[in-house]
Amino acid sequence: MSRVAMFPLMVMGTVVQSLLPVWPLLGSVKPPVLPALVLFYSLKGSPRLMWAAAIWAALLQDGIDAGPIGPALIAFPIIGNLAYRVRNEVFPEQLVTQFIFGALGHMLVTLVFLLVFTATGARPLAFSFGALRMLGAFLSGMVTLPVVFFIMHRFEESLPQRRAVVWQ
Amino acid sequence: MRDRKPVYAAVLGILLIVVFTLPAGISLWGKGVLRGIVSPLQRGISGVGQHVGEAVAAVRGLGGMVEKNRELSAELVHMQAELNTFKNLDEENRRLRRMLDFHRQEPRQMIPCEVMSRNISGWWNTVRIGKGARHGIQWNRAVISPDGLVGKTLEVSHRTSEVILISDPACRVSARILRVNAFGVVSGHGANASGHPVVRMDFINKDAEVRAGDEVVTSGLGGVFPTGIHIGYVQKVERDESGLYQSAQIIPRATAGLLDYVFVISEPEDNPTGGGAR
């Protein structure tokens, strides 16, 4: 897994996420490309890579987004850590695992955002809107993570692999 | 190997404390740096997207032509494709000319800007424009299009600016219903199920005879939005629960989904010293 490639991939993910349309029917959520990338590195990478991915993705999301810096900096390390802790108990390659992790991960991110925005008064939030958004987060997370996993797998496969040194 | 989890957790904790207690100026500077990294790529991809859209439009026209006229020569098909391309160019030209005419006719000093992208998280109704402080854009300035009021600048970095749209709940505009000369406050309520922006006008005098179809414009009170900028039309009138005021649902004319270019008013009309850069 390439550490060097992670940073431009995150920037690319940021651009893709900002260009993707919102789902008005489901509380105007966006497909969570950056949280999905964090989950990918948590399920497949080393702890260092997981932390780097979580913090870099959070800085990008909070930096690009309007409003206060901070919600993603709380949410992304939480989902990254949780996924990393249970990854030995699950099969990350399985589609069902990706559905569940994507859905729960994005729901958790949305919940943290809701709490931070409510606490800081940055957004006037109604219960119905919050519930709709959580449902949207569940569905969009479920759809996005398998797609990101597939693309990232293909990308990692296309990179030149470092060979082990063998003494002859 | 030593367990480094506490170190990572401590670093993250310190980072969070630093971030949450950052002064607004430093926070905005950091945001500007990150936006500077992402914006060239965003601009490039938006440009490619526009070209792909034009090509798809050309191919669509070409497909219909081929189905209807199979016997036509390759040259004719080629000409049709070219014609479709010219049509797209003509349409774009007309749109740009309209913008230019609007820019010339408008007495206020305006800065034309290209819309680069939408909000990344979907929590805010904002768009990013490709001009910032170095182009003379300042915080809290009205953003308009030939169709009417779009919103105002929320965060201005060196090269880009974040514009909060009138459909966002945080954007409040002092407004006036032209026909009855009734004042009120227009605020956003997000988007409905079909994605159209929902805007309401509250605190309208209860005795004013407001009707569906009445034109709503900015009142000029508050110093941010100049007087007389078109906001939209009244769709439905409701009595406030307390019975003291009326509220009205507004259809905003400057639909955010159709925005390509917008104009930032460089100086507020009635309050030249108000606002200030942020």
Side-chain angles (χ1 to χ4, degrees), chain B residues 142-158:
Chain B
V143 180
I144 59 174
S145 80
D147 291 329
L149 185 69
V150 173
K152 63 176 179 177
T153 53
L154 180 71
E155 288 173 356
V156 181
S157 56
H158 197 52

Side-chain angles (χ1 to χ4, degrees), chain A residues 14-15 17-19 24 28 30 48 51 59 61-67 69 73 77 113-114 117 123-124 133, chain B residues 4 8 12 16 19 27 31 34-35 38 41-42 45 119-124 128 155 168-170 192-193 195:
Chain A
T14 310
V15 174
Q17 188 174 316
S18 63
L19 292 176
S28 296
K30 279 217 170 190
R48 189 176 289 186
W51 277 106
L59 283 175
Q61 167 124 2
D62 278 345
I64 301 298
D65 210 1
I69 290 184
L73 263 175
F113 271 69
L114 266 171
F117 285 149
R123 301 271 77 185
R133 229 184 141 101
Chain B
R4 292 198 171 180
Y8 291 135
L12 186 70
L16 277 175
V19 158
S27 159
K31 282 188 167 198
L34 287 165
R35 285 171 188 172
V38 177
L41 203 60
Q42 255 176 344
I45 291 178
N119 178 249
I120 187 171
S121 64
W123 282 99
W124 304 78
R128 183 165 311 122
E155 288 173 356
D168 192 282
N192 61 16

Side-chain angles (χ1 to χ4, degrees), chain B residues 21 42 132 168 178 185 193 217 219:
Chain B
T21 53
Q42 255 176 344
D168 192 282
L178 265 185
V185 177
V217 297
S219 69

Side-chain angles (χ1 to χ4, degrees), chain B residues 171-193:
Chain B
C171 188
R172 287 169 175 267
V173 185
S174 174
R176 188 163 64 98
I177 298 172
L178 265 185
R179 192 180 57 82
V180 290
N181 200 27
F183 288 80
V185 177
V186 165
S187 59
H189 285 73
N192 61 16

Side-chain angles (χ1 to χ4, degrees), chain B residues 106 108 142 144 148-150 216-218 225-231 265:
Chain B
E106 202 46 53
R108 304 171 187 106
I144 59 174
L149 185 69
V150 173
V216 180
V217 297
T218 53
F225 300 99
T227 320
I229 297 176
H230 181 83
I231 296 174
I265 295 176

